Amino acid sequence: MDCMTSKEAALKVKQWPRQTIAAGPRHTVGLKSDGTVVAAGDNKYGQCDVSGWRDLVAVAAGNVHMAANTGNAHTVGLKSDGTVVAAGWNKHGQCSVDGWRDIAAVAAGWRRTVGLRSDGTVVAVGRNHEGQCDVGGWRDIAAVAAGDWHTVGLTLDGTVTAVGNHRYGQCNVSSWSGIIAAAAGYLHTVGLHSDGTVAAVGLNKHGQCDVSGWSGMVAIAAGSYHTVGLKSDGTVVAVGHNEYSQCDVSGWRDMVAVAAGCTHTVGLKSDGTVVAVGHNEYGQCDVSGWRGIQVPGISLSI
């Protein structure tokens, strides 16, 4: 029997993980089944001005650490033709994505946007003071994640690379293997193993890296100081900072995707409806009326 390597299989399948819900510092974004986009929450910089977007296949929201003076954000959308659109705060050129082509997945951090090309290379625009946009040499990348000041790349062979701020060891991912998904928070990084267990490195002041006991996970998300895991049975767990009840997800059922904002958590149900908990000062959790949000397809299998 002729067996392909995991890398060869991934290249043949050509599937990339694509978010249909996203959470920023003070806003939430949802991709509908018809390719249009809805948004709720703070719109100070126009980050919720997405009603005119059409033919989208994925969304991302620029996240930010938890501070009263850092709510600026942007929203990114990936179109079916591989081009990218962006709206919102653009002080550092993080919305300057008009020239991007052949993009297969997108991620958004604080003050920057990251794009994964279908050939496995990566592009990034925006603030680069800590080297978080130094991704030009990356190859064979299967997925990307963007934290506040660091960027994470998951390779086709299940290993992980990271660039940017490393003050708390959030880029200590070179020893990871068998990873099928990655998430980046403010100062921590999370990886999902193919066996459903989870690893985390970086700042753990609020217990956001206490995931060693998790099992049966199929998806992960990282907020400023909290980490969220979706289990194979459709339930959700969360650890970390819980001042605004952003970790109160134990009652959720029938979930197919999760997203973590600065201080709120969002969940997508199999019927296309959305739930949210956490800080709601700007209406970022006002998603109970959403319908027809696209259920994500099968993610890349390493």
PDB file of all heavy atoms in Angstrom, residues 225-263:
ATOM      1  N   TYR A 225      -6.539  37.422  28.277  1.00  0.00           N
ATOM      2  CA  TYR A 225      -6.059  36.667  29.427  1.00  0.00           C
ATOM      3  C   TYR A 225      -6.871  35.395  29.668  1.00  0.00           C
ATOM      4  O   TYR A 225      -6.898  34.890  30.779  1.00  0.00           O
ATOM      5  CB  TYR A 225      -6.114  37.532  30.690  1.00  0.00           C
ATOM      6  CG  TYR A 225      -5.194  38.722  30.695  1.00  0.00           C
ATOM      7  CD1 TYR A 225      -5.709  40.013  30.767  1.00  0.00           C
ATOM      8  CD2 TYR A 225      -3.808  38.575  30.648  1.00  0.00           C
ATOM      9  CE1 TYR A 225      -4.877  41.122  30.798  1.00  0.00           C
ATOM     10  CE2 TYR A 225      -2.964  39.671  30.677  1.00  0.00           C
ATOM     11  CZ  TYR A 225      -3.505  40.947  30.751  1.00  0.00           C
ATOM     12  OH  TYR A 225      -2.678  42.035  30.787  1.00  0.00           O
ATOM     13  N   HIS A 226      -7.545  34.898  28.645  1.00  0.00           N
ATOM     14  CA  HIS A 226      -8.283  33.649  28.827  1.00  0.00           C
ATOM     15  C   HIS A 226      -8.155  32.770  27.583  1.00  0.00           C
ATOM     16  O   HIS A 226      -7.830  33.243  26.498  1.00  0.00           O
ATOM     17  CB  HIS A 226      -9.754  33.898  29.185  1.00  0.00           C
ATOM     18  CG  HIS A 226     -10.636  34.418  28.089  1.00  0.00           C
ATOM     19  ND1 HIS A 226     -10.455  35.649  27.488  1.00  0.00           N
ATOM     20  CD2 HIS A 226     -11.729  33.877  27.487  1.00  0.00           C
ATOM     21  CE1 HIS A 226     -11.396  35.857  26.585  1.00  0.00           C
ATOM     22  NE2 HIS A 226     -12.181  34.787  26.553  1.00  0.00           N
ATOM     23  N   THR A 227      -8.368  31.478  27.785  1.00  0.00           N
ATOM     24  CA  THR A 227      -8.259  30.483  26.729  1.00  0.00           C
ATOM     25  C   THR A 227      -9.533  29.654  26.692  1.00  0.00           C
ATOM     26  O   THR A 227     -10.070  29.290  27.739  1.00  0.00           O
ATOM     27  CB  THR A 227      -7.047  29.560  26.970  1.00  0.00           C
ATOM     28  OG1 THR A 227      -5.857  30.354  27.035  1.00  0.00           O
ATOM     29  CG2 THR A 227      -6.906  28.550  25.850  1.00  0.00           C
ATOM     30  N   VAL A 228      -9.998  29.373  25.482  1.00  0.00           N
ATOM     31  CA  VAL A 228     -11.266  28.679  25.290  1.00  0.00           C
ATOM     32  C   VAL A 228     -11.027  27.415  24.474  1.00  0.00           C
ATOM     33  O   VAL A 228     -10.245  27.415  23.516  1.00  0.00           O
ATOM     34  CB  VAL A 228     -12.284  29.584  24.566  1.00  0.00           C
ATOM     35  CG1 VAL A 228     -13.638  28.889  24.450  1.00  0.00           C
ATOM     36  CG2 VAL A 228     -12.431  30.921  25.298  1.00  0.00           C
ATOM     37  N   GLY A 229     -11.702  26.337  24.848  1.00  0.00           N
ATOM     38  CA  GLY A 229     -11.590  25.085  24.118  1.00  0.00           C
ATOM     39  C   GLY A 229     -12.950  24.513  23.775  1.00  0.00           C
ATOM     40  O   GLY A 229     -13.854  24.494  24.617  1.00  0.00           O
ATOM     41  N   LEU A 230     -13.092  24.065  22.534  1.00  0.00           N
ATOM     42  CA  LEU A 230     -14.322  23.415  22.083  1.00  0.00           C
ATOM     43  C   LEU A 230     -14.098  21.913  22.075  1.00  0.00           C
ATOM     44  O   LEU A 230     -13.143  21.422  21.458  1.00  0.00           O
ATOM     45  CB  LEU A 230     -14.678  23.900  20.679  1.00  0.00           C
ATOM     46  CG  LEU A 230     -15.825  23.174  19.964  1.00  0.00           C
ATOM     47  CD1 LEU A 230     -17.142  23.339  20.712  1.00  0.00           C
ATOM     48  CD2 LEU A 230     -15.939  23.662  18.530  1.00  0.00           C
ATOM     49  N   LYS A 231     -14.968  21.177  22.747  1.00  0.00           N
ATOM     50  CA  LYS A 231     -14.836  19.735  22.836  1.00  0.00           C
ATOM     51  C   LYS A 231     -15.606  19.045  21.713  1.00  0.00           C
ATOM     52  O   LYS A 231     -16.507  19.621  21.097  1.00  0.00           O
ATOM     53  CB  LYS A 231     -15.332  19.231  24.200  1.00  0.00           C
ATOM     54  CG  LYS A 231     -14.585  19.853  25.388  1.00  0.00           C
ATOM     55  CD  LYS A 231     -14.915  19.173  26.684  1.00  0.00           C
ATOM     56  CE  LYS A 231     -14.266  17.812  26.777  1.00  0.00           C
ATOM     57  NZ  LYS A 231     -14.407  17.202  28.116  1.00  0.00           N
ATOM     58  N   SER A 232     -15.246  17.794  21.463  1.00  0.00           N
ATOM     59  CA  SER A 232     -15.860  17.038  20.378  1.00  0.00           C
ATOM     60  C   SER A 232     -17.346  16.797  20.591  1.00  0.00           C
ATOM     61  O   SER A 232     -18.084  16.540  19.637  1.00  0.00           O
ATOM     62  CB  SER A 232     -15.138  15.703  20.194  1.00  0.00           C
ATOM     63  OG  SER A 232     -15.174  14.947  21.391  1.00  0.00           O
ATOM     64  N   ASP A 233     -17.813  16.909  21.827  1.00  0.00           N
ATOM     65  CA  ASP A 233     -19.234  16.712  22.114  1.00  0.00           C
ATOM     66  C   ASP A 233     -20.032  18.001  22.020  1.00  0.00           C
ATOM     67  O   ASP A 233     -21.225  18.027  22.372  1.00  0.00           O
ATOM     68  CB  ASP A 233     -19.429  16.062  23.486  1.00  0.00           C
ATOM     69  CG  ASP A 233     -18.940  16.939  24.641  1.00  0.00           C
ATOM     70  OD1 ASP A 233     -18.455  18.063  24.393  1.00  0.00           O
ATOM     71  OD2 ASP A 233     -19.046  16.485  25.799  1.00  0.00           O
ATOM     72  N   GLY A 234     -19.377  19.096  21.573  1.00  0.00           N
ATOM     73  CA  GLY A 234     -20.076  20.363  21.400  1.00  0.00           C
ATOM     74  C   GLY A 234     -20.138  21.235  22.631  1.00  0.00           C
ATOM     75  O   GLY A 234     -20.760  22.304  22.604  1.00  0.00           O
ATOM     76  N   THR A 235     -19.512  20.800  23.712  1.00  0.00           N
ATOM     77  CA  THR A 235     -19.442  21.631  24.903  1.00  0.00           C
ATOM     78  C   THR A 235     -18.159  22.463  24.873  1.00  0.00           C
ATOM     79  O   THR A 235     -17.270  22.234  24.057  1.00  0.00           O
ATOM     80  CB  THR A 235     -19.489  20.780  26.179  1.00  0.00           C
ATOM     81  OG1 THR A 235     -18.371  19.883  26.183  1.00  0.00           O
ATOM     82  CG2 THR A 235     -20.778  19.986  26.248  1.00  0.00           C
ATOM     83  N   VAL A 236     -18.066  23.431  25.785  1.00  0.00           N
ATOM     84  CA  VAL A 236     -16.960  24.386  25.776  1.00  0.00           C
ATOM     85  C   VAL A 236     -16.391  24.534  27.182  1.00  0.00           C
ATOM     86  O   VAL A 236     -17.130  24.510  28.176  1.00  0.00           O
ATOM     87  CB  VAL A 236     -17.435  25.763  25.248  1.00  0.00           C
ATOM     88  CG1 VAL A 236     -16.290  26.761  25.208  1.00  0.00           C
ATOM     89  CG2 VAL A 236     -18.045  25.610  23.850  1.00  0.00           C
ATOM     90  N   VAL A 237     -15.083  24.693  27.256  1.00  0.00           N
ATOM     91  CA  VAL A 237     -14.403  24.968  28.522  1.00  0.00           C
ATOM     92  C   VAL A 237     -13.564  26.229  28.366  1.00  0.00           C
ATOM     93  O   VAL A 237     -13.199  26.613  27.251  1.00  0.00           O
ATOM     94  CB  VAL A 237     -13.500  23.789  28.945  1.00  0.00           C
ATOM     95  CG1 VAL A 237     -14.339  22.575  29.290  1.00  0.00           C
ATOM     96  CG2 VAL A 237     -12.499  23.457  27.854  1.00  0.00           C
ATOM     97  N   ALA A 238     -13.277  26.869  29.477  1.00  0.00           N
ATOM     98  CA  ALA A 238     -12.459  28.082  29.437  1.00  0.00           C
ATOM     99  C   ALA A 238     -11.715  28.244  30.741  1.00  0.00           C
ATOM    100  O   ALA A 238     -12.218  27.884  31.817  1.00  0.00           O
ATOM    101  CB  ALA A 238     -13.332  29.310  29.166  1.00  0.00           C
ATOM    102  N   VAL A 239     -10.505  28.794  30.648  1.00  0.00           N
ATOM    103  CA  VAL A 239      -9.697  29.091  31.829  1.00  0.00           C
ATOM    104  C   VAL A 239      -9.101  30.482  31.685  1.00  0.00           C
ATOM    105  O   VAL A 239      -8.953  31.004  30.574  1.00  0.00           O
ATOM    106  CB  VAL A 239      -8.553  28.067  32.024  1.00  0.00           C
ATOM    107  CG1 VAL A 239      -9.096  26.702  32.388  1.00  0.00           C
ATOM    108  CG2 VAL A 239      -7.669  28.006  30.784  1.00  0.00           C
ATOM    109  N   GLY A 240      -8.762  31.073  32.826  1.00  0.00           N
ATOM    110  CA  GLY A 240      -8.114  32.368  32.797  1.00  0.00           C
ATOM    111  C   GLY A 240      -8.923  33.453  33.468  1.00  0.00           C
ATOM    112  O   GLY A 240      -9.791  33.186  34.316  1.00  0.00           O
ATOM    113  N   HIS A 241      -8.644  34.668  33.082  1.00  0.00           N
ATOM    114  CA  HIS A 241      -9.282  35.843  33.667  1.00  0.00           C
ATOM    115  C   HIS A 241     -10.794  35.786  33.453  1.00  0.00           C
ATOM    116  O   HIS A 241     -11.262  35.549  32.344  1.00  0.00           O
ATOM    117  CB  HIS A 241      -8.697  37.095  33.001  1.00  0.00           C
ATOM    118  CG  HIS A 241      -9.081  38.372  33.679  1.00  0.00           C
ATOM    119  ND1 HIS A 241     -10.003  39.239  33.146  1.00  0.00           N
ATOM    120  CD2 HIS A 241      -8.657  38.938  34.837  1.00  0.00           C
ATOM    121  CE1 HIS A 241     -10.136  40.294  33.938  1.00  0.00           C
ATOM    122  NE2 HIS A 241      -9.335  40.130  34.967  1.00  0.00           N
ATOM    123  N   ASN A 242     -11.559  36.010  34.518  1.00  0.00           N
ATOM    124  CA  ASN A 242     -13.008  35.849  34.421  1.00  0.00           C
ATOM    125  C   ASN A 242     -13.762  37.006  35.066  1.00  0.00           C
ATOM    126  O   ASN A 242     -14.920  36.848  35.474  1.00  0.00           O
ATOM    127  CB  ASN A 242     -13.435  34.529  35.055  1.00  0.00           C
ATOM    128  CG  ASN A 242     -14.821  34.097  34.635  1.00  0.00           C
ATOM    129  OD1 ASN A 242     -15.248  34.333  33.511  1.00  0.00           O
ATOM    130  ND2 ASN A 242     -15.551  33.460  35.545  1.00  0.00           N
ATOM    131  N   GLU A 243     -13.133  38.156  35.117  1.00  0.00           N
ATOM    132  CA  GLU A 243     -13.757  39.312  35.775  1.00  0.00           C
ATOM    133  C   GLU A 243     -15.100  39.672  35.157  1.00  0.00           C
ATOM    134  O   GLU A 243     -16.026  40.127  35.848  1.00  0.00           O
ATOM    135  CB  GLU A 243     -12.821  40.522  35.715  1.00  0.00           C
ATOM    136  CG  GLU A 243     -13.384  41.774  36.378  1.00  0.00           C
ATOM    137  CD  GLU A 243     -12.443  42.960  36.296  1.00  0.00           C
ATOM    138  OE1 GLU A 243     -11.311  42.802  35.802  1.00  0.00           O
ATOM    139  OE2 GLU A 243     -12.856  44.057  36.727  1.00  0.00           O
ATOM    140  N   TYR A 244     -15.222  39.475  33.860  1.00  0.00           N
ATOM    141  CA  TYR A 244     -16.457  39.838  33.169  1.00  0.00           C
ATOM    142  C   TYR A 244     -17.290  38.607  32.788  1.00  0.00           C
ATOM    143  O   TYR A 244     -18.159  38.691  31.927  1.00  0.00           O
ATOM    144  CB  TYR A 244     -16.128  40.645  31.913  1.00  0.00           C
ATOM    145  CG  TYR A 244     -15.409  41.941  32.206  1.00  0.00           C
ATOM    146  CD1 TYR A 244     -14.015  42.011  32.128  1.00  0.00           C
ATOM    147  CD2 TYR A 244     -16.112  43.074  32.593  1.00  0.00           C
ATOM    148  CE1 TYR A 244     -13.352  43.192  32.411  1.00  0.00           C
ATOM    149  CE2 TYR A 244     -15.459  44.263  32.873  1.00  0.00           C
ATOM    150  CZ  TYR A 244     -14.075  44.316  32.787  1.00  0.00           C
ATOM    151  OH  TYR A 244     -13.421  45.490  33.069  1.00  0.00           O
ATOM    152  N   SER A 245     -17.004  37.473  33.422  1.00  0.00           N
ATOM    153  CA  SER A 245     -17.707  36.207  33.173  1.00  0.00           C
ATOM    154  C   SER A 245     -17.444  35.664  31.770  1.00  0.00           C
ATOM    155  O   SER A 245     -18.224  34.875  31.233  1.00  0.00           O
ATOM    156  CB  SER A 245     -19.227  36.372  33.380  1.00  0.00           C
ATOM    157  OG  SER A 245     -19.518  36.753  34.710  1.00  0.00           O
ATOM    158  N   GLN A 246     -16.310  36.055  31.180  1.00  0.00           N
ATOM    159  CA  GLN A 246     -15.974  35.568  29.836  1.00  0.00           C
ATOM    160  C   GLN A 246     -15.641  34.079  29.802  1.00  0.00           C
ATOM    161  O   GLN A 246     -15.572  33.487  28.713  1.00  0.00           O
ATOM    162  CB  GLN A 246     -14.823  36.381  29.235  1.00  0.00           C
ATOM    163  CG  GLN A 246     -13.518  36.329  30.000  1.00  0.00           C
ATOM    164  CD  GLN A 246     -13.344  37.498  30.961  1.00  0.00           C
ATOM    165  OE1 GLN A 246     -14.251  37.864  31.693  1.00  0.00           O
ATOM    166  NE2 GLN A 246     -12.149  38.084  30.946  1.00  0.00           N
ATOM    167  N   CYS A 247     -15.455  33.480  30.982  1.00  0.00           N
ATOM    168  CA  CYS A 247     -15.173  32.039  31.044  1.00  0.00           C
ATOM    169  C   CYS A 247     -16.398  31.228  31.468  1.00  0.00           C
ATOM    170  O   CYS A 247     -16.299  30.009  31.663  1.00  0.00           O
ATOM    171  CB  CYS A 247     -14.023  31.767  32.011  1.00  0.00           C
ATOM    172  SG  CYS A 247     -12.419  32.366  31.442  1.00  0.00           S
ATOM    173  N   ASP A 248     -17.548  31.868  31.592  1.00  0.00           N
ATOM    174  CA  ASP A 248     -18.754  31.172  32.031  1.00  0.00           C
ATOM    175  C   ASP A 248     -19.447  30.510  30.842  1.00  0.00           C
ATOM    176  O   ASP A 248     -20.508  30.938  30.367  1.00  0.00           O
ATOM    177  CB  ASP A 248     -19.704  32.140  32.729  1.00  0.00           C
ATOM    178  CG  ASP A 248     -19.156  32.622  34.070  1.00  0.00           C
ATOM    179  OD1 ASP A 248     -18.164  32.034  34.541  1.00  0.00           O
ATOM    180  OD2 ASP A 248     -19.716  33.580  34.634  1.00  0.00           O
ATOM    181  N   VAL A 249     -18.836  29.433  30.347  1.00  0.00           N
ATOM    182  CA  VAL A 249     -19.327  28.755  29.149  1.00  0.00           C
ATOM    183  C   VAL A 249     -19.729  27.312  29.425  1.00  0.00           C
ATOM    184  O   VAL A 249     -20.033  26.564  28.478  1.00  0.00           O
ATOM    185  CB  VAL A 249     -18.244  28.792  28.042  1.00  0.00           C
ATOM    186  CG1 VAL A 249     -17.952  30.218  27.614  1.00  0.00           C
ATOM    187  CG2 VAL A 249     -16.955  28.103  28.535  1.00  0.00           C
ATOM    188  N   SER A 250     -19.760  26.931  30.678  1.00  0.00           N
ATOM    189  CA  SER A 250     -19.999  25.519  31.018  1.00  0.00           C
ATOM    190  C   SER A 250     -21.378  25.042  30.594  1.00  0.00           C
ATOM    191  O   SER A 250     -21.584  23.840  30.410  1.00  0.00           O
ATOM    192  CB  SER A 250     -19.803  25.294  32.521  1.00  0.00           C
ATOM    193  OG  SER A 250     -20.699  26.104  33.270  1.00  0.00           O
ATOM    194  N   GLY A 251     -22.303  25.944  30.432  1.00  0.00           N
ATOM    195  CA  GLY A 251     -23.647  25.551  30.036  1.00  0.00           C
ATOM    196  C   GLY A 251     -23.872  25.490  28.539  1.00  0.00           C
ATOM    197  O   GLY A 251     -24.959  25.114  28.077  1.00  0.00           O
ATOM    198  N   TRP A 252     -22.869  25.854  27.754  1.00  0.00           N
ATOM    199  CA  TRP A 252     -23.031  25.850  26.299  1.00  0.00           C
ATOM    200  C   TRP A 252     -23.099  24.423  25.763  1.00  0.00           C
ATOM    201  O   TRP A 252     -22.370  23.537  26.198  1.00  0.00           O
ATOM    202  CB  TRP A 252     -21.872  26.604  25.646  1.00  0.00           C
ATOM    203  CG  TRP A 252     -21.910  28.092  25.826  1.00  0.00           C
ATOM    204  CD1 TRP A 252     -22.776  28.809  26.602  1.00  0.00           C
ATOM    205  CD2 TRP A 252     -21.023  29.044  25.234  1.00  0.00           C
ATOM    206  NE1 TRP A 252     -22.481  30.147  26.520  1.00  0.00           N
ATOM    207  CE2 TRP A 252     -21.425  30.327  25.690  1.00  0.00           C
ATOM    208  CE3 TRP A 252     -19.935  28.946  24.370  1.00  0.00           C
ATOM    209  CZ2 TRP A 252     -20.760  31.493  25.296  1.00  0.00           C
ATOM    210  CZ3 TRP A 252     -19.280  30.101  23.970  1.00  0.00           C
ATOM    211  CH2 TRP A 252     -19.690  31.374  24.423  1.00  0.00           C
ATOM    212  N   ARG A 253     -23.943  24.232  24.763  1.00  0.00           N
ATOM    213  CA  ARG A 253     -24.115  22.931  24.132  1.00  0.00           C
ATOM    214  C   ARG A 253     -24.235  23.099  22.617  1.00  0.00           C
ATOM    215  O   ARG A 253     -24.598  24.157  22.129  1.00  0.00           O
ATOM    216  CB  ARG A 253     -25.383  22.237  24.657  1.00  0.00           C
ATOM    217  CG  ARG A 253     -25.395  21.944  26.154  1.00  0.00           C
ATOM    218  CD  ARG A 253     -24.388  20.860  26.522  1.00  0.00           C
ATOM    219  NE  ARG A 253     -24.434  20.505  27.935  1.00  0.00           N
ATOM    220  CZ  ARG A 253     -23.753  21.124  28.897  1.00  0.00           C
ATOM    221  NH1 ARG A 253     -22.982  22.143  28.586  1.00  0.00           N
ATOM    222  NH2 ARG A 253     -23.847  20.719  30.155  1.00  0.00           N
ATOM    223  N   ASP A 254     -23.941  22.054  21.885  1.00  0.00           N
ATOM    224  CA  ASP A 254     -24.137  22.015  20.441  1.00  0.00           C
ATOM    225  C   ASP A 254     -23.319  23.078  19.708  1.00  0.00           C
ATOM    226  O   ASP A 254     -23.772  23.665  18.721  1.00  0.00           O
ATOM    227  CB  ASP A 254     -25.629  22.182  20.121  1.00  0.00           C
ATOM    228  CG  ASP A 254     -25.994  21.708  18.731  1.00  0.00           C
ATOM    229  OD1 ASP A 254     -25.301  20.812  18.198  1.00  0.00           O
ATOM    230  OD2 ASP A 254     -26.953  22.255  18.152  1.00  0.00           O
ATOM    231  N   MET A 255     -22.101  23.335  20.185  1.00  0.00           N
ATOM    232  CA  MET A 255     -21.238  24.343  19.582  1.00  0.00           C
ATOM    233  C   MET A 255     -20.366  23.739  18.475  1.00  0.00           C
ATOM    234  O   MET A 255     -19.950  22.577  18.555  1.00  0.00           O
ATOM    235  CB  MET A 255     -20.337  24.970  20.650  1.00  0.00           C
ATOM    236  CG  MET A 255     -21.092  25.748  21.705  1.00  0.00           C
ATOM    237  SD  MET A 255     -21.892  27.204  21.041  1.00  0.00           S
ATOM    238  CE  MET A 255     -23.175  27.446  22.277  1.00  0.00           C
ATOM    239  N   VAL A 256     -20.082  24.546  17.458  1.00  0.00           N
ATOM    240  CA  VAL A 256     -19.220  24.101  16.359  1.00  0.00           C
ATOM    241  C   VAL A 256     -18.019  25.014  16.145  1.00  0.00           C
ATOM    242  O   VAL A 256     -17.116  24.674  15.365  1.00  0.00           O
ATOM    243  CB  VAL A 256     -20.020  23.980  15.044  1.00  0.00           C
ATOM    244  CG1 VAL A 256     -21.074  22.886  15.152  1.00  0.00           C
ATOM    245  CG2 VAL A 256     -20.660  25.310  14.655  1.00  0.00           C
ATOM    246  N   ALA A 257     -17.993  26.161  16.815  1.00  0.00           N
ATOM    247  CA  ALA A 257     -16.852  27.076  16.703  1.00  0.00           C
ATOM    248  C   ALA A 257     -16.861  28.030  17.882  1.00  0.00           C
ATOM    249  O   ALA A 257     -17.921  28.317  18.462  1.00  0.00           O
ATOM    250  CB  ALA A 257     -16.904  27.862  15.390  1.00  0.00           C
ATOM    251  N   VAL A 258     -15.674  28.522  18.235  1.00  0.00           N
ATOM    252  CA  VAL A 258     -15.536  29.488  19.319  1.00  0.00           C
ATOM    253  C   VAL A 258     -14.568  30.592  18.909  1.00  0.00           C
ATOM    254  O   VAL A 258     -13.695  30.394  18.055  1.00  0.00           O
ATOM    255  CB  VAL A 258     -15.034  28.827  20.622  1.00  0.00           C
ATOM    256  CG1 VAL A 258     -16.106  27.950  21.245  1.00  0.00           C
ATOM    257  CG2 VAL A 258     -13.755  28.031  20.372  1.00  0.00           C
ATOM    258  N   ALA A 259     -14.738  31.752  19.526  1.00  0.00           N
ATOM    259  CA  ALA A 259     -13.828  32.879  19.326  1.00  0.00           C
ATOM    260  C   ALA A 259     -13.683  33.605  20.655  1.00  0.00           C
ATOM    261  O   ALA A 259     -14.609  33.616  21.473  1.00  0.00           O
ATOM    262  CB  ALA A 259     -14.356  33.827  18.252  1.00  0.00           C
ATOM    263  N   ALA A 260     -12.521  34.200  20.861  1.00  0.00           N
ATOM    264  CA  ALA A 260     -12.261  34.898  22.113  1.00  0.00           C
ATOM    265  C   ALA A 260     -11.800  36.320  21.832  1.00  0.00           C
ATOM    266  O   ALA A 260     -10.833  36.536  21.093  1.00  0.00           O
ATOM    267  CB  ALA A 260     -11.206  34.153  22.926  1.00  0.00           C
ATOM    268  N   GLY A 261     -12.495  37.276  22.393  1.00  0.00           N
ATOM    269  CA  GLY A 261     -12.093  38.668  22.286  1.00  0.00           C
ATOM    270  C   GLY A 261     -11.283  39.078  23.492  1.00  0.00           C
ATOM    271  O   GLY A 261     -10.810  38.228  24.258  1.00  0.00           O
ATOM    272  N   CYS A 262     -11.154  40.346  23.676  1.00  0.00           N
ATOM    273  CA  CYS A 262     -10.386  40.849  24.806  1.00  0.00           C
ATOM    274  C   CYS A 262     -10.956  40.329  26.124  1.00  0.00           C
ATOM    275  O   CYS A 262     -10.258  39.669  26.885  1.00  0.00           O
ATOM    276  CB  CYS A 262     -10.408  42.379  24.778  1.00  0.00           C
ATOM    277  SG  CYS A 262      -9.555  43.162  26.143  1.00  0.00           S
ATOM    278  N   THR A 263     -12.227  40.579  26.358  1.00  0.00           N
ATOM    279  CA  THR A 263     -12.873  40.140  27.596  1.00  0.00           C
ATOM    280  C   THR A 263     -14.250  39.552  27.337  1.00  0.00           C
ATOM    281  O   THR A 263     -15.141  39.619  28.182  1.00  0.00           O
ATOM    282  CB  THR A 263     -12.996  41.310  28.588  1.00  0.00           C
ATOM    283  OG1 THR A 263     -13.617  42.431  27.925  1.00  0.00           O
ATOM    284  CG2 THR A 263     -11.633  41.737  29.107  1.00  0.00           C
TER     285      THR A 263
END
